[in-house]
């Protein structure tokens, strides 16, 4: 059989996952990317100001990211992820609390109790905070928490009588880190999903992974992977439109440098780029609805401050910083292999006010705050610094958002939609992007009468969580 051809437009995680999955089962795939490198919003590049290759921001993944890990395994880079189950929370002044699964020799606690001892002993929370958190976690275990798409998390938390400490040091922080938004802008099922996966379902699901190499290096094998299977990657190639040739049953994809012909297309673009392309695609029933869906999606920014000091300011690999604008500290000299120097990255999520600060003010604020957690900062000399503001980092998931997220099946023949913003059930993450890529590949397979099974199922919850899950399915 002559392999059928596919043009995948967009070389982010969604496009790469779809392209590699389809190439593996015999499709001839062209992956087309506007920039000069792969990775999209999860990539690295040489920053001219500091002359260092940096990620556009630290990207964390979790054990529950089954599709992202499936993609990494497919291209042979899964072992380049460093895993940890322990999280250090630091208060201004330096007091530390450790969160993570309980381990005593070979003794482990069953889910959902595996992290309970560390939460109960965390100094960052008062007894009232811990009781409030316990109550809310138990409510999040109920199936209703996954179904109520109308209430905001903020309203839900007020209803479940959360203390100021629980709100500020747990909910706002976890939601900003995992969903990059404020609690009043989040639908309860998305929060429940995150809480269940990170804290309740199993220790494996909640373990955190970080790349040990700059992000674009992770994808270096994608070009060879596709080439070995008859495909190719076209970089620096912006797609400007596409036309469907009814007679040949093929797509003609227009780029500035010429036309690409293929049997199928996967559009794996961010929502705003998809919106821009809509007027340059054939008019079909359903195009208007898609345009209206996209109009409802909204961006949230993420900022990162990259600092090189003349000495070590902490021996921690990473930490959660409480009660301040900065949320995370990543010690990149320890996390990324082969990095010399003393390179610290700070991440500020879900704060539009920080993103609006001028460069110098943002850097000064970050340095002042960092010194409150790590006093050695005051003696250290700052050698160089880069500030990266990603104003279109992620999309929000407020109540009612699911009806604005289209499935992989599009209004056009033989054209499928992917991208983190499509209907995956996940918030704006690399896992959502990888899921969307695999869902689009499976939908394409159905249409080509070649059933595929690219989509990777969720991890099974452990212990009582598994029992509760089975109970609610009956
Ligand atoms: C600062 C920041 C921090 C983040 N932190 C995390 C994190 O810790 N963990 C996590 O899981 N997720 C994180 N995310 C979210 C994650 O990066 C995204 O959800 C994911 O990368 C989206 O992938 P995608 O393939 O759907 O879209 P994109 O990555 O946006 O890929 C789309 C690609 O299409 C290309 N393109 C656009 N227009 C055209 C065109 N006309 N022709 C051809 N190509 C085109 C773009 O250049 C891009 O490469 C973060 C995002 C940002 C920005």
């Amino acid at each position: 059989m002559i392999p059928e051809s596919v043009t995948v437009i967009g070389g982010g995680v969604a496009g790469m996952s779809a392209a590699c999955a389809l190439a593996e089962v015999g499709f001839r795939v062209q992956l087309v990317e506007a920039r000069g490198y792969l990775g999209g919003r999860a990539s690295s590049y040489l920053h001219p100001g500091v002359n260092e290759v940096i990620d556009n921001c630290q990207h964390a993944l979790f054990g529950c990211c089954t599709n992202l890990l499936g993609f990494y395994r497919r291209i042979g880079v899964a072992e380049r992820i460093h895993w940890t189950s322990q999280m250090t929370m630091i208060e201004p002044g330096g007091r530390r609390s450790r969160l993570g699964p309980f381990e005593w020799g070979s003794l482990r606690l069953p889910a959902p109790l595996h992290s309970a001892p560390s939460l109960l002993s965390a100094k960052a929370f008062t007894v009232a905070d811990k009781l409030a958190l316990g109550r809310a976690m138990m409510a999040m275990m109920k199936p209703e928490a996954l179904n109520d798409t109308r209430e905001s998390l903020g309203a839900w938390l007020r209803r479940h009588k959360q203390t100021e400490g629980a709100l500020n040091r747990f909910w706002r922080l976890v939601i900003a880190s995992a969903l990059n938004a404020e609690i009043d802008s989040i639908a309860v099922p998305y929060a429940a999903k995150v809480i269940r996966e990170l804290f309740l379902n199993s220790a494996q699901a909640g373990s955190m992974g970080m790349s040990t190499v700059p992000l674009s290096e992770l994808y270096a094998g994608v070009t060879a992977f596709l080439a070995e299977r008859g495909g190719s990657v076209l970089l620096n190639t912006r797609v400007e439109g596409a036309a469907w040739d009814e007679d040949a049953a093929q797509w003609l994809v227009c780029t500035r440098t010429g036309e690409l012909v293929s049997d199928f297309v996967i559009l794996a673009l961010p929502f705003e780029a998809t919106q821009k392309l809509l007027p340059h695609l054939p008019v079909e029933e359903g195009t208007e609805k898609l345009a209206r869906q996209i109009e409802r999606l909204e961006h949230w920014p993420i900022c990162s401050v990259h600092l090189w000091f003349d000495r070590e300011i902490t021996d921690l690999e990473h930490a959660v910083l409480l009660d301040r604008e900065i949320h995370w500290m990543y010690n990149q000299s320890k996390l990324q292999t082969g990095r010399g120097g003393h390179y610290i990255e700070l991440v500020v999520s879900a704060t539009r006010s920080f993103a609006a600060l001028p460069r110098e003010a943002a850097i000064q604020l970050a340095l002042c705050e960092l010194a409150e957690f790590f006093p050695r900062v005051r003696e250290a000399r700052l050698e160089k610094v880069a500030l990266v503001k990603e104003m279109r980092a992620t999309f929000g998931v407020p109540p009612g958002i699911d009806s604005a997220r289209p499935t992989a099946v599009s209004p056009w023949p033989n054209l499928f939609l992917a991208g983190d913003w499509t209907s995956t059930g996940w918030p704006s993450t690399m896992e959502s992007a990888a899921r969307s890529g695999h869902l689009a590949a499976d939908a394409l397979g159905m249409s080509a009468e070649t059933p595929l099974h690219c989509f990777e199922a969720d991890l099974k919850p452990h212990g009582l969580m598994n029992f509760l899950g089975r109970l609610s399915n009956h």
Side-chain angles (χ1 to χ4, degrees):
M1 189 185 94
I2 301 167
E4 289 175 285
S5 55
V6 185
T7 304
V8 178
I9 306 172
V13 172
M16 289 188 291
S17 310
C20 292
L22 288 169
E24 189 171 65
V25 292
F27 286 87
R28 205 173 64 250
V29 182
Q30 304 177 90
L31 177 61
V32 187
E33 167 56 43
R35 295 185 191 171
Y37 51 89
L38 294 175
R41 275 171 286 155
S43 54
S44 53
Y45 58 94
L46 181 68
H47 190 292
V50 287
N51 198 29
E52 299 265 359
V53 173
I54 61 169
D55 291 346
N56 67 328
C57 188
Q58 171 67 50
H59 274 66
L61 62 136
F62 290 88
C64 54
C65 296
T66 49
N67 285 269
L68 183 64
L69 288 167
F71 164 57
Y72 287 167
R73 274 194 298 275
R74 183 165 283 126
I75 59 168
V77 297
E79 79 290 350
R80 292 188 162 195
I81 303 300
H82 167 66
W83 292 98
T84 174
S85 298
Q86 301 297 327
M87 212 173 271
T88 308
M89 303 172 89
I90 313 184
E91 296 164 67
R95 190 166 70 159
R96 297 181 182 187
S97 307
R98 299 261 286 175
L99 290 189
F102 174 80
E103 286 175 16
W104 194 51
S106 58
L107 183 67
R108 305 279 184 276
L109 291 178
L113 299 174
H114 52 286
S115 292
S118 67
L119 191 65
L120 287 174
S121 62
K123 298 184 197 84
F125 301 111
T126 63
V127 173
D129 297 337
K130 288 170 190 170
L131 289 172
L133 283 171
R135 249 191 339 265
M137 294 271 189
M138 278 170 64
M140 287 264 164
M141 283 159 57
K142 295 187 184 151
E144 300 92 272
L146 289 173
N147 300 329
D148 182 1
T149 54
R150 286 154 306 153
E151 193 173 20
S152 79
L153 176 65
W156 189 94
L157 292 171
R158 283 186 284 278
R159 206 154 53 73
H160 287 81
K161 309 231 177 321
Q162 294 299 287
T163 57
E164 272 308 296
L167 283 173
N168 289 332
R169 293 186 162 182
F170 185 82
W171 293 106
R172 290 203 169 94
L173 199 95
V174 170
I175 294 307
S177 304
L179 293 152
N180 189 33
E182 287 152 7
I183 52 174
D184 286 315
S185 313
I186 294 292
V188 176
Y190 284 97
K193 175 140 199 66
V194 164
I195 296 298
R196 281 167 168 238
E197 294 289 7
L198 302 197
F199 298 99
L200 302 172
N201 278 352
S202 68
Q204 185 193 352
S207 63
M208 184 165 95
M210 289 157 284
S211 175
T212 56
V213 294
L215 284 168
S216 294
E217 239 181 78
L218 266 189
Y219 325 125
V222 166
T223 306
F225 186 93
L226 295 181
E228 281 158 18
R229 291 157 183 83
S232 58
V233 175
L234 297 177
L235 297 175
N236 300 307
T237 308
R238 181 170 293 279
V239 169
E240 297 181 327
W244 172 245
D245 180 342
E246 187 73 52
D247 298 332
Q250 283 191 318
W251 280 97
L252 308 174
V253 174
C254 311
T255 76
R256 234 170 252 170
T257 45
E259 241 172 29
L260 306 168
V261 181
S262 60
D263 302 318
F264 297 94
V265 166
I266 291 183
L267 210 52
L269 301 177
F271 68 84
E272 67 278 9
T274 308
Q275 189 174 35
K276 253 196 214 158
L277 213 56
L278 287 184
H280 309 285
L281 294 175
V283 178
E284 286 284 346
E285 202 186 327
T287 321
E288 190 50 41
K289 181 181 172 210
L290 180 59
R292 283 201 305 274
Q293 283 176 305
I294 295 178
E295 274 166 18
R296 289 174 50 204
L297 297 167
E298 191 197 0
H299 285 115
W300 284 80
I302 300 183
C303 300
S304 53
V305 187
H306 305 249
L307 305 157
W308 283 262
F309 291 104
D310 67 342
R311 68 197 73 180
E312 189 169 273
I313 60 138
T314 174
D315 55 1
L316 287 175
E317 286 182 348
H318 56 90
V320 182
L321 310 179
L322 298 173
D323 303 340
R324 292 293 179 267
E325 289 279 304
I326 319 169
H327 295 129
W328 283 91
M329 181 283 298
Y330 294 96
N331 192 339
Q332 295 296 9
S333 292
K334 289 193 182 292
L335 289 168
Q336 294 194 346
T337 41
R339 279 262 185 214
H342 304 289
Y343 169 23
I344 298 287
E345 179 179 344
L346 307 175
V347 177
V348 187
S349 305
T351 38
R352 291 189 164 124
S353 54
F354 186 89
L357 286 177
R359 182 177 186 275
E360 280 315 310
I363 292 169
Q364 272 318 312
L365 178 64
L367 276 171
C368 285
E369 291 194 359
L370 189 64
E372 292 186 72
F373 299 94
F374 306 106
R376 272 187 252 164
V377 169
R378 296 195 184 99
E379 284 92 55
R381 189 165 53 82
L382 184 64
E383 293 181 329
K384 49 188 176 181
V385 55
L387 171 70
V388 180
K389 291 183 182 180
E390 288 273 9
M391 301 310 285
R392 294 174 167 186
T394 60
F395 62 91
V397 283
I401 199 64
D402 286 343
S403 59
R405 300 182 73 180
T407 63
V409 177
S410 82
W412 302 277
N414 289 14
L415 186 149
F416 301 88
L417 295 174
D420 61 350
W421 58 281
T422 58
S423 182
T424 64
W426 273 64
S428 185
T429 51
M430 297 185 289
E431 171 61 12
S432 182
R435 280 185 172 231
S436 76
H438 292 164
L439 287 168
D442 282 344
L444 188 154
M446 291 287 280
S447 159
E449 293 174 6
T450 314
L452 308 174
H453 301 285
C454 304
F455 184 77
E456 310 257 356
D458 287 343
L459 288 183
K460 281 209 169 67
H462 291 183
L464 185 63
M465 291 304 287
N466 186 15
F467 176 71
L468 287 176
R470 275 190 283 154
L471 214 62
S472 64
N473 289 338
H474 286 302

